[in-house]
Amino acid sequence: IFVFTLLAWVLTPRLPPQESDESDLLNPSVFYAQLEVSRSLLQRDLFGQVALGYWEKTYAQVDAIHQVAIAIAHKESLFIPDLLDTLHTVLALSAQFSQAFTAAKQMQTPSYQKVAHRQLQSTTYRLSQTYRHLQELHDQLLAEDMDTGSSSASGVSDRLRAVISSNKSELVK
């Protein structure tokens, strides 16, 4: 028995603890540590309270997205891979927000300032749409449980992938 137990333990694939911890964006400490990188982009600039005020609004939106993602994951663990992908795009959008804000404040030419402001608006819109879609998915899961006791995982998964795709295309712009 000891030999079989040892053999099973040796052959069981394991991720290094640090790698799995850093990739688990559903873990609040991991998620917010990575979100802090985006906020630090604003702290390094010379804009002080103005930048942090804009960041607080974005942070509140990102925080709401994270909370809904956690709720969906608790409700239906099947969606965790797509939720993690969504949270990665949300972190990238928050970094894009910080970079666009900094660029808008540093640019001197009105035409380029407009470009940066459009990027800010676009990123903010995408974050709000992500929250709206995730909240709808969460509510759909709750409603399906009330109606039938089972969920249509493929429909929810398709909608979640559409959110990811929209976020990724916003990042490519």
Side-chain angles (χ1 to χ4, degrees), residues 110-153:
S111 60
Y112 285 107
Q113 285 177 338
K114 287 180 185 177
V115 170
H117 284 288
R118 277 194 299 267
Q119 183 65 56
L120 274 173
Q121 290 171 341
S122 180
T123 300
T124 303
Y125 175 77
R126 192 64 240 140
L127 286 170
S128 68
Q129 290 301 301
T130 299
Y131 172 74
R132 186 178 67 80
H133 287 294
L134 285 179
Q135 188 62 57
E136 286 175 359
L137 293 173
H138 179 258
D139 293 350
Q140 178 183 349
L141 289 172
L142 292 175
E144 287 174 352
D145 278 352
M146 288 187 327
D147 290 342
T148 63
S150 65
S151 64
S152 61

mmCIF file of all heavy atoms in Angstrom, residues 110-153:
data_model
loop_
_atom_site.group_PDB
_atom_site.id
_atom_site.type_symbol
_atom_site.label_atom_id
_atom_site.label_comp_id
_atom_site.label_asym_id
_atom_site.label_seq_id
_atom_site.Cartn_x
_atom_site.Cartn_y
_atom_site.Cartn_z
ATOM 1 N N PRO A 110 -4.103 69.665 -28.985
ATOM 2 C CA PRO A 110 -5.518 69.351 -28.772
ATOM 3 C C PRO A 110 -5.997 68.106 -29.535
ATOM 4 O O PRO A 110 -6.790 67.333 -29.009
ATOM 5 C CB PRO A 110 -6.247 70.609 -29.262
ATOM 6 C CG PRO A 110 -5.246 71.699 -29.087
ATOM 7 C CD PRO A 110 -3.911 71.068 -29.367
ATOM 8 N N SER A 111 -5.521 67.927 -30.748
ATOM 9 C CA SER A 111 -5.989 66.765 -31.519
ATOM 10 C C SER A 111 -5.551 65.452 -30.861
ATOM 11 O O SER A 111 -6.312 64.484 -30.844
ATOM 12 C CB SER A 111 -5.497 66.834 -32.957
ATOM 13 O OG SER A 111 -4.089 66.842 -33.008
ATOM 14 N N TYR A 112 -4.349 65.425 -30.306
ATOM 15 C CA TYR A 112 -3.884 64.208 -29.636
ATOM 16 C C TYR A 112 -4.535 64.048 -28.264
ATOM 17 O O TYR A 112 -4.766 62.931 -27.802
ATOM 18 C CB TYR A 112 -2.359 64.180 -29.535
ATOM 19 C CG TYR A 112 -1.724 63.852 -30.859
ATOM 20 C CD1 TYR A 112 -1.074 64.832 -31.595
ATOM 21 C CD2 TYR A 112 -1.796 62.573 -31.383
ATOM 22 C CE1 TYR A 112 -0.502 64.546 -32.818
ATOM 23 C CE2 TYR A 112 -1.232 62.266 -32.607
ATOM 24 C CZ TYR A 112 -0.586 63.256 -33.322
ATOM 25 O OH TYR A 112 -0.034 62.959 -34.535
ATOM 26 N N GLN A 113 -4.846 65.159 -27.626
ATOM 27 C CA GLN A 113 -5.577 65.075 -26.361
ATOM 28 C C GLN A 113 -6.951 64.458 -26.596
ATOM 29 O O GLN A 113 -7.426 63.664 -25.783
ATOM 30 C CB GLN A 113 -5.727 66.468 -25.737
ATOM 31 C CG GLN A 113 -4.461 66.992 -25.119
ATOM 32 C CD GLN A 113 -4.630 68.404 -24.585
ATOM 33 O OE1 GLN A 113 -5.512 69.144 -25.006
ATOM 34 N NE2 GLN A 113 -3.763 68.773 -23.648
ATOM 35 N N LYS A 114 -7.580 64.804 -27.721
ATOM 36 C CA LYS A 114 -8.876 64.217 -28.059
ATOM 37 C C LYS A 114 -8.769 62.713 -28.254
ATOM 38 O O LYS A 114 -9.657 61.957 -27.845
ATOM 39 C CB LYS A 114 -9.455 64.875 -29.313
ATOM 40 C CG LYS A 114 -9.963 66.266 -29.081
ATOM 41 C CD LYS A 114 -10.514 66.861 -30.374
ATOM 42 C CE LYS A 114 -10.911 68.304 -30.146
ATOM 43 N NZ LYS A 114 -11.381 68.943 -31.388
ATOM 44 N N VAL A 115 -7.683 62.289 -28.883
ATOM 45 C CA VAL A 115 -7.473 60.851 -29.081
ATOM 46 C C VAL A 115 -7.385 60.149 -27.728
ATOM 47 O O VAL A 115 -8.014 59.101 -27.504
ATOM 48 C CB VAL A 115 -6.194 60.591 -29.925
ATOM 49 C CG1 VAL A 115 -5.831 59.114 -29.932
ATOM 50 C CG2 VAL A 115 -6.376 61.111 -31.341
ATOM 51 N N ALA A 116 -6.624 60.721 -26.818
ATOM 52 C CA ALA A 116 -6.475 60.122 -25.485
ATOM 53 C C ALA A 116 -7.802 60.136 -24.731
ATOM 54 O O ALA A 116 -8.157 59.159 -24.053
ATOM 55 C CB ALA A 116 -5.397 60.852 -24.695
ATOM 56 N N HIS A 117 -8.565 61.207 -24.855
ATOM 57 C CA HIS A 117 -9.870 61.288 -24.191
ATOM 58 C C HIS A 117 -10.852 60.269 -24.766
ATOM 59 O O HIS A 117 -11.632 59.669 -24.013
ATOM 60 C CB HIS A 117 -10.448 62.700 -24.272
ATOM 61 C CG HIS A 117 -9.798 63.652 -23.320
ATOM 62 N ND1 HIS A 117 -10.002 63.610 -21.969
ATOM 63 C CD2 HIS A 117 -8.922 64.664 -23.534
ATOM 64 C CE1 HIS A 117 -9.307 64.553 -21.376
ATOM 65 N NE2 HIS A 117 -8.624 65.206 -22.309
ATOM 66 N N ARG A 118 -10.797 60.064 -26.072
ATOM 67 C CA ARG A 118 -11.651 59.030 -26.679
ATOM 68 C C ARG A 118 -11.276 57.651 -26.137
ATOM 69 O O ARG A 118 -12.145 56.817 -25.887
ATOM 70 C CB ARG A 118 -11.550 59.061 -28.200
ATOM 71 C CG ARG A 118 -12.436 60.099 -28.839
ATOM 72 C CD ARG A 118 -12.574 59.878 -30.339
ATOM 73 N NE ARG A 118 -11.311 59.961 -31.047
ATOM 74 C CZ ARG A 118 -10.831 61.068 -31.614
ATOM 75 N NH1 ARG A 118 -11.536 62.171 -31.568
ATOM 76 N NH2 ARG A 118 -9.679 61.055 -32.233
ATOM 77 N N GLN A 119 -9.981 57.425 -25.956
ATOM 78 C CA GLN A 119 -9.528 56.147 -25.398
ATOM 79 C C GLN A 119 -10.036 55.985 -23.966
ATOM 80 O O GLN A 119 -10.476 54.907 -23.579
ATOM 81 C CB GLN A 119 -8.000 56.058 -25.426
ATOM 82 C CG GLN A 119 -7.457 54.732 -24.938
ATOM 83 C CD GLN A 119 -7.851 53.597 -25.848
ATOM 84 O OE1 GLN A 119 -7.576 53.623 -27.038
ATOM 85 N NE2 GLN A 119 -8.510 52.594 -25.314
ATOM 86 N N LEU A 120 -9.986 57.061 -23.198
ATOM 87 C CA LEU A 120 -10.520 57.017 -21.829
ATOM 88 C C LEU A 120 -12.008 56.676 -21.838
ATOM 89 O O LEU A 120 -12.467 55.808 -21.077
ATOM 90 C CB LEU A 120 -10.326 58.361 -21.138
ATOM 91 C CG LEU A 120 -9.013 58.618 -20.453
ATOM 92 C CD1 LEU A 120 -8.938 60.063 -19.980
ATOM 93 C CD2 LEU A 120 -8.818 57.678 -19.290
ATOM 94 N N GLN A 121 -12.763 57.352 -22.692
ATOM 95 C CA GLN A 121 -14.196 57.101 -22.770
ATOM 96 C C GLN A 121 -14.487 55.674 -23.221
ATOM 97 O O GLN A 121 -15.372 55.009 -22.685
ATOM 98 C CB GLN A 121 -14.851 58.101 -23.717
ATOM 99 C CG GLN A 121 -14.873 59.502 -23.181
ATOM 100 C CD GLN A 121 -15.327 60.509 -24.226
ATOM 101 O OE1 GLN A 121 -15.294 60.240 -25.429
ATOM 102 N NE2 GLN A 121 -15.773 61.672 -23.758
ATOM 103 N N SER A 122 -13.745 55.220 -24.201
ATOM 104 C CA SER A 122 -13.945 53.880 -24.726
ATOM 105 C C SER A 122 -13.639 52.814 -23.669
ATOM 106 O O SER A 122 -14.386 51.843 -23.508
ATOM 107 C CB SER A 122 -13.064 53.686 -25.966
ATOM 108 O OG SER A 122 -13.229 52.418 -26.496
ATOM 109 N N THR A 123 -12.576 53.011 -22.944
ATOM 110 C CA THR A 123 -12.192 52.058 -21.903
ATOM 111 C C THR A 123 -13.222 52.054 -20.776
ATOM 112 O O THR A 123 -13.631 50.993 -20.299
ATOM 113 C CB THR A 123 -10.796 52.395 -21.356
ATOM 114 O OG1 THR A 123 -9.865 52.329 -22.431
ATOM 115 C CG2 THR A 123 -10.371 51.436 -20.272
ATOM 116 N N THR A 124 -13.651 53.232 -20.376
ATOM 117 C CA THR A 124 -14.657 53.342 -19.321
ATOM 118 C C THR A 124 -15.970 52.683 -19.757
ATOM 119 O O THR A 124 -16.606 51.958 -18.979
ATOM 120 C CB THR A 124 -14.892 54.818 -18.961
ATOM 121 O OG1 THR A 124 -13.641 55.386 -18.565
ATOM 122 C CG2 THR A 124 -15.887 54.971 -17.838
ATOM 123 N N TYR A 125 -16.351 52.911 -21.001
ATOM 124 C CA TYR A 125 -17.562 52.284 -21.536
ATOM 125 C C TYR A 125 -17.436 50.762 -21.528
ATOM 126 O O TYR A 125 -18.356 50.045 -21.138
ATOM 127 C CB TYR A 125 -17.833 52.787 -22.956
ATOM 128 C CG TYR A 125 -18.990 52.092 -23.621
ATOM 129 C CD1 TYR A 125 -20.302 52.424 -23.291
ATOM 130 C CD2 TYR A 125 -18.774 51.097 -24.568
ATOM 131 C CE1 TYR A 125 -21.376 51.780 -23.881
ATOM 132 C CE2 TYR A 125 -19.838 50.449 -25.172
ATOM 133 C CZ TYR A 125 -21.141 50.782 -24.826
ATOM 134 O OH TYR A 125 -22.196 50.133 -25.417
ATOM 135 N N ARG A 126 -16.286 50.253 -21.956
ATOM 136 C CA ARG A 126 -16.087 48.811 -22.011
ATOM 137 C C ARG A 126 -16.164 48.190 -20.613
ATOM 138 O O ARG A 126 -16.745 47.115 -20.431
ATOM 139 C CB ARG A 126 -14.723 48.519 -22.662
ATOM 140 C CG ARG A 126 -14.468 47.111 -23.047
ATOM 141 C CD ARG A 126 -15.424 46.612 -24.130
ATOM 142 N NE ARG A 126 -16.149 45.486 -23.576
ATOM 143 C CZ ARG A 126 -17.426 45.233 -23.759
ATOM 144 N NH1 ARG A 126 -18.169 45.976 -24.514
ATOM 145 N NH2 ARG A 126 -17.992 44.207 -23.195
ATOM 146 N N LEU A 127 -15.605 48.868 -19.626
ATOM 147 C CA LEU A 127 -15.694 48.365 -18.244
ATOM 148 C C LEU A 127 -17.151 48.345 -17.767
ATOM 149 O O LEU A 127 -17.585 47.373 -17.137
ATOM 150 C CB LEU A 127 -14.829 49.206 -17.303
ATOM 151 C CG LEU A 127 -13.321 48.986 -17.419
ATOM 152 C CD1 LEU A 127 -12.558 50.040 -16.632
ATOM 153 C CD2 LEU A 127 -12.933 47.583 -16.961
ATOM 154 N N SER A 128 -17.899 49.390 -18.084
ATOM 155 C CA SER A 128 -19.304 49.414 -17.655
ATOM 156 C C SER A 128 -20.110 48.325 -18.365
ATOM 157 O O SER A 128 -20.980 47.703 -17.752
ATOM 158 C CB SER A 128 -19.925 50.792 -17.873
ATOM 159 O OG SER A 128 -20.061 51.075 -19.232
ATOM 160 N N GLN A 129 -19.807 48.083 -19.636
ATOM 161 C CA GLN A 129 -20.490 47.012 -20.365
ATOM 162 C C GLN A 129 -20.121 45.636 -19.810
ATOM 163 O O GLN A 129 -20.970 44.745 -19.736
ATOM 164 C CB GLN A 129 -20.167 47.092 -21.858
ATOM 165 C CG GLN A 129 -20.804 48.277 -22.538
ATOM 166 C CD GLN A 129 -22.312 48.249 -22.400
ATOM 167 O OE1 GLN A 129 -22.971 47.313 -22.818
ATOM 168 N NE2 GLN A 129 -22.863 49.281 -21.787
ATOM 169 N N THR A 130 -18.884 45.476 -19.420
ATOM 170 C CA THR A 130 -18.460 44.203 -18.825
ATOM 171 C C THR A 130 -19.239 43.948 -17.544
ATOM 172 O O THR A 130 -19.754 42.845 -17.321
ATOM 173 C CB THR A 130 -16.946 44.218 -18.540
ATOM 174 O OG1 THR A 130 -16.257 44.395 -19.774
ATOM 175 C CG2 THR A 130 -16.487 42.931 -17.880
ATOM 176 N N TYR A 131 -19.345 44.972 -16.713
ATOM 177 C CA TYR A 131 -20.114 44.816 -15.475
ATOM 178 C C TYR A 131 -21.569 44.470 -15.789
ATOM 179 O O TYR A 131 -22.139 43.544 -15.202
ATOM 180 C CB TYR A 131 -20.059 46.093 -14.623
ATOM 181 C CG TYR A 131 -21.000 46.002 -13.449
ATOM 182 C CD1 TYR A 131 -20.684 45.191 -12.359
ATOM 183 C CD2 TYR A 131 -22.214 46.674 -13.456
ATOM 184 C CE1 TYR A 131 -21.567 45.071 -11.298
ATOM 185 C CE2 TYR A 131 -23.087 46.561 -12.405
ATOM 186 C CZ TYR A 131 -22.765 45.755 -11.322
ATOM 187 O OH TYR A 131 -23.637 45.628 -10.279
ATOM 188 N N ARG A 132 -22.168 45.196 -16.702
ATOM 189 C CA ARG A 132 -23.573 44.961 -17.045
ATOM 190 C C ARG A 132 -23.793 43.529 -17.526
ATOM 191 O O ARG A 132 -24.722 42.847 -17.082
ATOM 192 C CB ARG A 132 -24.027 45.958 -18.115
ATOM 193 C CG ARG A 132 -25.527 45.866 -18.430
ATOM 194 C CD ARG A 132 -25.959 46.902 -19.462
ATOM 195 N NE ARG A 132 -25.394 46.677 -20.773
ATOM 196 C CZ ARG A 132 -25.861 45.789 -21.656
ATOM 197 N NH1 ARG A 132 -26.885 45.039 -21.353
ATOM 198 N NH2 ARG A 132 -25.298 45.671 -22.845
ATOM 199 N N HIS A 133 -22.920 43.055 -18.405
ATOM 200 C CA HIS A 133 -23.070 41.699 -18.938
ATOM 201 C C HIS A 133 -22.853 40.639 -17.859
ATOM 202 O O HIS A 133 -23.591 39.654 -17.801
ATOM 203 C CB HIS A 133 -22.120 41.467 -20.113
ATOM 204 C CG HIS A 133 -22.523 42.173 -21.356
ATOM 205 N ND1 HIS A 133 -23.663 41.884 -22.060
ATOM 206 C CD2 HIS A 133 -21.936 43.187 -22.032
ATOM 207 C CE1 HIS A 133 -23.772 42.665 -23.107
ATOM 208 N NE2 HIS A 133 -22.731 43.486 -23.111
ATOM 209 N N LEU A 134 -21.863 40.842 -17.021
ATOM 210 C CA LEU A 134 -21.631 39.865 -15.946
ATOM 211 C C LEU A 134 -22.813 39.843 -14.976
ATOM 212 O O LEU A 134 -23.221 38.765 -14.517
ATOM 213 C CB LEU A 134 -20.337 40.167 -15.200
ATOM 214 C CG LEU A 134 -19.045 39.799 -15.925
ATOM 215 C CD1 LEU A 134 -17.840 40.177 -15.067
ATOM 216 C CD2 LEU A 134 -18.993 38.332 -16.292
ATOM 217 N N GLN A 135 -23.348 41.011 -14.651
ATOM 218 C CA GLN A 135 -24.504 41.055 -13.750
ATOM 219 C C GLN A 135 -25.699 40.350 -14.374
ATOM 220 O O GLN A 135 -26.428 39.619 -13.705
ATOM 221 C CB GLN A 135 -24.858 42.497 -13.395
ATOM 222 C CG GLN A 135 -25.920 42.599 -12.312
ATOM 223 C CD GLN A 135 -25.478 41.983 -11.001
ATOM 224 O OE1 GLN A 135 -24.469 42.372 -10.447
ATOM 225 N NE2 GLN A 135 -26.235 41.002 -10.511
ATOM 226 N N GLU A 136 -25.904 40.552 -15.682
ATOM 227 C CA GLU A 136 -26.994 39.857 -16.380
ATOM 228 C C GLU A 136 -26.779 38.344 -16.350
ATOM 229 O O GLU A 136 -27.734 37.581 -16.152
ATOM 230 C CB GLU A 136 -27.093 40.338 -17.826
ATOM 231 C CG GLU A 136 -27.685 41.712 -17.978
ATOM 232 C CD GLU A 136 -27.660 42.223 -19.411
ATOM 233 O OE1 GLU A 136 -27.169 41.520 -20.318
ATOM 234 O OE2 GLU A 136 -28.122 43.358 -19.616
ATOM 235 N N LEU A 137 -25.534 37.908 -16.551
ATOM 236 C CA LEU A 137 -25.249 36.467 -16.504
ATOM 237 C C LEU A 137 -25.526 35.905 -15.111
ATOM 238 O O LEU A 137 -26.106 34.819 -14.971
ATOM 239 C CB LEU A 137 -23.803 36.207 -16.908
ATOM 240 C CG LEU A 137 -23.453 36.499 -18.361
ATOM 241 C CD1 LEU A 137 -21.952 36.365 -18.576
ATOM 242 C CD2 LEU A 137 -24.209 35.581 -19.291
ATOM 243 N N HIS A 138 -25.120 36.631 -14.106
ATOM 244 C CA HIS A 138 -25.371 36.194 -12.729
ATOM 245 C C HIS A 138 -26.870 36.092 -12.469
ATOM 246 O O HIS A 138 -27.357 35.092 -11.931
ATOM 247 C CB HIS A 138 -24.711 37.164 -11.746
ATOM 248 C CG HIS A 138 -24.941 36.786 -10.324
ATOM 249 N ND1 HIS A 138 -25.863 37.411 -9.541
ATOM 250 C CD2 HIS A 138 -24.365 35.821 -9.559
ATOM 251 C CE1 HIS A 138 -25.857 36.862 -8.343
ATOM 252 N NE2 HIS A 138 -24.960 35.897 -8.329
ATOM 253 N N ASP A 139 -27.601 37.111 -12.881
ATOM 254 C CA ASP A 139 -29.050 37.111 -12.683
ATOM 255 C C ASP A 139 -29.710 35.987 -13.476
ATOM 256 O O ASP A 139 -30.667 35.366 -13.002
ATOM 257 C CB ASP A 139 -29.635 38.468 -13.079
ATOM 258 C CG ASP A 139 -29.195 39.586 -12.140
ATOM 259 O OD1 ASP A 139 -28.598 39.295 -11.074
ATOM 260 O OD2 ASP A 139 -29.436 40.755 -12.482
ATOM 261 N N GLN A 140 -29.200 35.712 -14.668
ATOM 262 C CA GLN A 140 -29.737 34.616 -15.477
ATOM 263 C C GLN A 140 -29.551 33.285 -14.757
ATOM 264 O O GLN A 140 -30.470 32.460 -14.722
ATOM 265 C CB GLN A 140 -29.047 34.572 -16.841
ATOM 266 C CG GLN A 140 -29.513 33.430 -17.718
ATOM 267 C CD GLN A 140 -28.762 33.358 -19.043
ATOM 268 O OE1 GLN A 140 -28.026 34.257 -19.412
ATOM 269 N NE2 GLN A 140 -28.959 32.261 -19.753
ATOM 270 N N LEU A 141 -28.389 33.082 -14.170
ATOM 271 C CA LEU A 141 -28.152 31.845 -13.430
ATOM 272 C C LEU A 141 -29.121 31.718 -12.251
ATOM 273 O O LEU A 141 -29.652 30.634 -11.988
ATOM 274 C CB LEU A 141 -26.706 31.787 -12.935
ATOM 275 C CG LEU A 141 -25.638 31.568 -14.001
ATOM 276 C CD1 LEU A 141 -24.244 31.737 -13.407
ATOM 277 C CD2 LEU A 141 -25.790 30.198 -14.638
ATOM 278 N N LEU A 142 -29.344 32.814 -11.550
ATOM 279 C CA LEU A 142 -30.280 32.791 -10.426
ATOM 280 C C LEU A 142 -31.700 32.506 -10.900
ATOM 281 O O LEU A 142 -32.427 31.717 -10.291
ATOM 282 C CB LEU A 142 -30.231 34.117 -9.669
ATOM 283 C CG LEU A 142 -28.950 34.424 -8.915
ATOM 284 C CD1 LEU A 142 -29.000 35.824 -8.327
ATOM 285 C CD2 LEU A 142 -28.697 33.387 -7.832
ATOM 286 N N ALA A 143 -32.112 33.138 -11.990
ATOM 287 C CA ALA A 143 -33.455 32.941 -12.527
ATOM 288 C C ALA A 143 -33.657 31.510 -13.008
ATOM 289 O O ALA A 143 -34.720 30.919 -12.789
ATOM 290 C CB ALA A 143 -33.726 33.922 -13.662
ATOM 291 N N GLU A 144 -32.652 30.949 -13.645
ATOM 292 C CA GLU A 144 -32.767 29.571 -14.128
ATOM 293 C C GLU A 144 -32.887 28.593 -12.975
ATOM 294 O O GLU A 144 -33.602 27.607 -13.078
ATOM 295 C CB GLU A 144 -31.580 29.227 -15.024
ATOM 296 C CG GLU A 144 -31.646 29.901 -16.373
ATOM 297 C CD GLU A 144 -30.407 29.675 -17.222
ATOM 298 O OE1 GLU A 144 -29.417 29.117 -16.712
ATOM 299 O OE2 GLU A 144 -30.444 30.078 -18.393
ATOM 300 N N ASP A 145 -32.206 28.881 -11.887
ATOM 301 C CA ASP A 145 -32.331 28.016 -10.717
ATOM 302 C C ASP A 145 -33.747 28.074 -10.145
ATOM 303 O O ASP A 145 -34.271 27.069 -9.684
ATOM 304 C CB ASP A 145 -31.329 28.417 -9.636
ATOM 305 C CG ASP A 145 -29.953 27.829 -9.892
ATOM 306 O OD1 ASP A 145 -29.814 26.993 -10.804
ATOM 307 O OD2 ASP A 145 -29.015 28.196 -9.158
ATOM 308 N N MET A 146 -34.354 29.251 -10.190
ATOM 309 C CA MET A 146 -35.724 29.383 -9.682
ATOM 310 C C MET A 146 -36.707 28.658 -10.589
ATOM 311 O O MET A 146 -37.642 28.022 -10.118
ATOM 312 C CB MET A 146 -36.131 30.859 -9.606
ATOM 313 C CG MET A 146 -35.467 31.615 -8.510
ATOM 314 S SD MET A 146 -36.079 33.297 -8.299
ATOM 315 C CE MET A 146 -36.523 33.852 -9.921
ATOM 316 N N ASP A 147 -36.500 28.759 -11.907
ATOM 317 C CA ASP A 147 -37.452 28.197 -12.859
ATOM 318 C C ASP A 147 -37.351 26.687 -12.987
ATOM 319 O O ASP A 147 -38.346 25.993 -12.927
ATOM 320 C CB ASP A 147 -37.252 28.814 -14.247
ATOM 321 C CG ASP A 147 -37.671 30.273 -14.292
ATOM 322 O OD1 ASP A 147 -38.411 30.708 -13.382
ATOM 323 O OD2 ASP A 147 -37.250 30.973 -15.218
ATOM 324 N N THR A 148 -36.138 26.197 -13.194
ATOM 325 C CA THR A 148 -36.019 24.778 -13.535
ATOM 326 C C THR A 148 -35.088 23.995 -12.628
ATOM 327 O O THR A 148 -35.061 22.773 -12.710
ATOM 328 C CB THR A 148 -35.481 24.627 -14.974
ATOM 329 O OG1 THR A 148 -34.164 25.180 -15.029
ATOM 330 C CG2 THR A 148 -36.374 25.311 -15.976
ATOM 331 N N GLY A 149 -34.309 24.676 -11.855
ATOM 332 C CA GLY A 149 -33.344 23.966 -11.031
ATOM 333 C C GLY A 149 -32.087 23.603 -11.780
ATOM 334 O O GLY A 149 -31.181 22.992 -11.230
ATOM 335 N N SER A 150 -32.021 23.938 -13.073
ATOM 336 C CA SER A 150 -30.809 23.668 -13.846
ATOM 337 C C SER A 150 -30.500 24.889 -14.700
ATOM 338 O O SER A 150 -31.370 25.693 -14.999
ATOM 339 C CB SER A 150 -30.994 22.441 -14.744
ATOM 340 O OG SER A 150 -31.971 22.718 -15.710
ATOM 341 N N SER A 151 -29.255 24.999 -15.097
ATOM 342 C CA SER A 151 -28.863 26.172 -15.884
ATOM 343 C C SER A 151 -28.482 25.769 -17.298
ATOM 344 O O SER A 151 -28.084 24.647 -17.537
ATOM 345 C CB SER A 151 -27.691 26.893 -15.222
ATOM 346 O OG SER A 151 -26.564 26.064 -15.201
ATOM 347 N N SER A 152 -28.625 26.720 -18.224
ATOM 348 C CA SER A 152 -28.191 26.477 -19.601
ATOM 349 C C SER A 152 -26.762 26.986 -19.718
ATOM 350 O O SER A 152 -26.514 28.113 -20.119
ATOM 351 C CB SER A 152 -29.116 27.171 -20.597
ATOM 352 O OG SER A 152 -29.092 28.560 -20.395
ATOM 353 N N ALA A 153 -25.837 26.150 -19.361
ATOM 354 C CA ALA A 153 -24.427 26.543 -19.278
ATOM 355 C C ALA A 153 -23.877 27.013 -20.616
ATOM 356 O O ALA A 153 -23.080 27.937 -20.667
ATOM 357 C CB ALA A 153 -23.597 25.371 -18.748
#
